[in-house]
Amino acid sequence: MADTLTITDNRTGKTYELPIQDGTIRADALRQIRTSEDDFGLMTYDPAFMNTASCRSAITLIDGDKGILRYRGYPIEQLAENSTYLEVAYLLLNGELPNQVQLDKWTDKVTNHTYVHEFLRDAMQGFRYDAHAMGKMVSMLGALSTFYPESKNVRDPAVRHEHIVKIIAKMPTIAAWAHRHSVGRPYVYPDNELSYTGNFLNMLFRMAEPRFKPNPVLSRALDILFILHADHEQNCSTNAARAVGSAETDPYSTLAAASAALYGPLHGGANEAVLRMLRQIGDVKNVPEFVKSVKDGKGRLMGFGHRVYKNYDPRAKVIKKLAHDVFEVTGKNPLLEIAIELENIALNEDYFVKRKLYPNVDFYSGLIYQAMGFPVEMFPVLFAIPRASGWLAQWQEMLVDPEQKIARPRQIYTGIELRDYVPMNARG
Ligand code: ACO
């Protein structure tokens, strides 16, 4: 059996044989299919990239039907159980788990780049008191590029590495300061004696105590949430990072663009929508009525369903378990019972079973973040911090891939072909 596709063009009667590799045909192989010498050749039309692979990638594997998510081959459940976010970031960026010496060196480097230039603090002060935390993140990432003009040298692996370290190190600092700015509290400087997430909690929540002692359960829970959010192959923001980075834009501006994509409610904002929905339901006894209204087409069950997963999102399973550990420390989020009842009813309803609608990563994460004291506007920021490692791994992979070039799709032009300019006094 040949790994080829035979196409007959009924406009010309000509037949073409195209190679199939990895379950794909190359779109540019269609260009030879033409009706005449001056015909541009056949293209594919794929709005929203529903059936187009834009790259070859060895970073993250998702099998949506089986509910599988793996980073560099390692199942997400094993990483969440045994690894740390910084180790996972190393894995995503380098392809292999570090040995002890490599991990210590990597951790040390990241820990020693957590401070930001004082001018950035001044820039933060320029925002209005009610500026959204994610708007501040996007701006601060863009602003960081102006402090490191040498980061434009994206073809130099040593330069790339230096700025990858800086970005991963500084994400928690600017995120925490965005929050402190919102609540009108003084900025807290990094404490390099603490772990990555321990220090983040310090910069978020420290008040008058001489030294902040992060709760180990909350610090570990955040670390696990960071592992779960570190990468998710070619999602909207990663695609933005690859597209912008393909113009050889510096990594700070590239990540500002990726964060802007994540800011969108269809991408990074679903867990906020889950909280709003649970508050609207208000009580366990109202759940059956709410589920009925969803089945009747009056709105969606937020935190359910996924474009790729047609099975239980493996991240949701880990988060559901984690919620119980967190609530032991923080006290139960009163919305949890509503969420559990909602899940129980929905998973047994024909409507959801037939459509393969299962809880996704956002169904329980908002409940945990809220119980830990985060306001909802910080939710997408909490997503952006760990996703930075995924964006950077994908950005780097794109830059070293000899097949990649500046991303520049084609279009089907649907406008007027040609017309003459009409002077103002002759227009209707
Ligand atoms: N509640 C009720 N019905 C739903 C839901 C839902 N959450 N999701 C999908 N459906 C139904 C649709 O109405 C449709 O039914 P139909 O065939 O009778 O018309 C069918 O299931 C298929 O839905 P699509 O919209 O075609 O699925 P798509 O893959 O385009 O959408 C999406 C995926 C956007 C995630 C969707 O499931 C949804 O809106 N979920 C709620 C929002 C949410 O939780 N988003 C977070 C996603 S995870 C993330 O981005 C990190």
Side-chain angles (χ1 to χ4, degrees):
M1 193 175 66
D3 273 349
T4 58
L5 177 73
T6 303
I7 297 178
T8 302
D9 184 348
N10 293 323
R11 298 169 303 175
T12 59
K14 282 194 196 155
T15 293
Y16 305 82
E17 194 169 329
L18 309 184
I20 298 176
Q21 195 189 357
D22 300 320
T24 63
I25 56 160
R26 298 190 75 105
D28 64 3
L30 298 171
R31 288 281 291 279
Q32 59 183 304
I33 304 177
R34 298 190 293 177
T35 50
S36 62
E37 272 304 302
D38 57 357
D39 182 357
F40 180 81
L42 209 61
M43 292 195 297
T44 55
Y45 175 56
D46 190 9
F49 301 121
M50 295 287 287
N51 195 36
T52 295
S54 65
C55 61
R56 304 176 73 83
S57 181
I59 301 173
T60 291
L61 171 76
I62 300 177
D63 184 329
D65 290 331
K66 296 195 183 120
I68 284 174
L69 170 61
R70 295 180 194 145
Y71 298 159
R72 301 283 191 186
Y74 294 105
I76 194 69
E77 299 82 358
Q78 289 185 24
L79 293 169
E81 179 81 29
N82 303 302
S83 190
T84 63
Y85 168 65
L86 277 190
E87 185 179 65
V88 164
Y90 183 101
L91 171 70
L92 290 170
L93 286 155
N94 299 289
E96 295 297 334
L97 285 169
N99 62 30
Q100 193 62 56
V101 175
Q102 289 166 327
L103 181 62
D104 290 349
K105 198 169 155 202
W106 167 244
T107 307
D108 196 56
K109 270 193 187 164
V110 171
T111 308
N112 282 301
H113 283 92
T114 47
Y115 273 63
V116 293
H117 197 291
E118 282 293 288
F119 285 171
L120 204 74
R121 178 194 164 109
D122 297 343
M124 187 74 86
Q125 287 306 106
F127 284 103
R128 266 173 55 141
Y129 69 97
D130 59 352
H132 195 286
M134 197 60 180
K136 287 183 267 188
M137 276 307 278
V138 172
S139 309
M140 287 297 121
L141 278 164
L144 269 176
S145 86
T146 66
F147 290 87
Y148 304 111
E150 73 281 8
S151 67
K152 283 189 184 73
N153 193 3
V154 298
R155 294 281 165 210
D156 182 333
V159 170
R160 275 204 306 271
H161 178 71
E162 186 188 335
H163 294 282
I164 284 172
V165 168
K166 282 190 163 71
I167 291 171
I168 291 178
K170 293 177 202 311
M171 288 296 284
T173 312
I174 54 178
W177 285 14
H179 173 65
R180 300 288 289 204
H181 174 271
S182 295
V183 292
R185 289 186 181 157
Y187 302 122
V188 177
Y189 285 82
D191 180 344
N192 287 358
E193 295 298 308
L194 297 174
S195 69
Y196 190 81
T197 46
N199 173 49
F200 181 46
L201 290 170
N202 160 59
M203 293 187 291
L204 283 161
F205 299 127
R206 185 178 147 208
M207 293 305 289
E209 61 272 42
R211 191 135 214 191
F212 181 84
K213 288 202 187 73
N215 181 298
V217 176
L218 300 189
S219 171
R220 176 65 188 147
L222 206 51
D223 208 42
I224 294 174
L225 285 160
F226 281 7
I227 292 171
L228 300 178
H229 285 89
D231 196 48
H232 213 229
E233 52 117 303
Q234 305 312 312
N235 56 87
C236 178
S237 57
T238 301
N239 184 55
R242 279 183 175 260
V244 172
S246 76
E248 300 199 352
T249 304
D250 72 81
Y252 299 94
S253 307
T254 298
L255 260 67
S259 305
L262 189 64
Y263 196 177
L266 296 188
H267 190 7
N271 48 11
E272 183 180 341
V274 172
L275 279 191
R276 256 189 276 116
M277 172 189 75
L278 295 175
R279 274 198 219 112
Q280 184 203 330
I281 296 171
D283 195 290
V284 173
K285 71 175 189 321
N286 301 330
V287 169
E289 193 192 328
F290 179 79
V291 172
K292 184 175 176 306
S293 73
V294 170
K295 289 188 339 194
D296 291 344
K298 298 180 196 142
R300 290 200 162 191
L301 178 45
M302 300 313 289
F304 259 65
H306 197 277
R307 173 62 60 77
V308 180
Y309 294 115
K310 300 300 167 198
N311 202 320
Y312 213 103
D313 180 337
R315 299 167 300 174
K317 270 191 200 153
V318 178
I319 291 181
K320 187 177 174 187
K321 198 165 147 271
L322 197 62
H324 293 285
D325 301 345
V326 170
F327 296 155
E328 293 230 331
V329 177
T330 61
K332 211 185 218 175
N333 188 324
L335 299 175
L336 178 69
E337 273 171 29
I338 303 176
I340 290 177
E341 180 68 3
L342 204 50
E343 182 189 337
N344 287 343
I345 296 189
L347 288 180
N348 290 304
E349 285 279 347
D350 215 34
Y351 175 96
F352 297 92
V353 175
K354 261 204 334 237
R355 290 171 178 78
K356 299 189 176 165
L357 299 170
Y358 294 87
N360 60 47
V361 68
D362 292 315
F363 193 64
Y364 287 105
S365 63
L367 288 175
I368 300 184
Y369 291 143
Q370 194 184 45
M372 287 173 84
F374 290 106
V376 285
E377 66 158 46
M378 279 297 282
F379 291 4
V381 173
L382 293 165
F383 194 157
I385 297 170
R387 186 53 61 87
S389 59
W391 289 331
L392 289 165
Q394 301 267 353
W395 166 75
Q396 182 169 251
E397 187 179 62
M398 178 272 304
L399 284 170
V400 300
D401 181 345
E403 281 204 306
Q404 290 290 346
K405 294 171 186 237
I406 185 165
R408 205 301 185 189
R410 300 275 174 186
Q411 66 166 9
I412 302 170
Y413 178 67
T414 60
I416 294 163
E417 179 79 24
L418 176 68
R419 50 182 163 171
D420 288 325
Y421 181 78
V422 182
M424 185 59 80
N425 60 9
R427 293 179 210 164

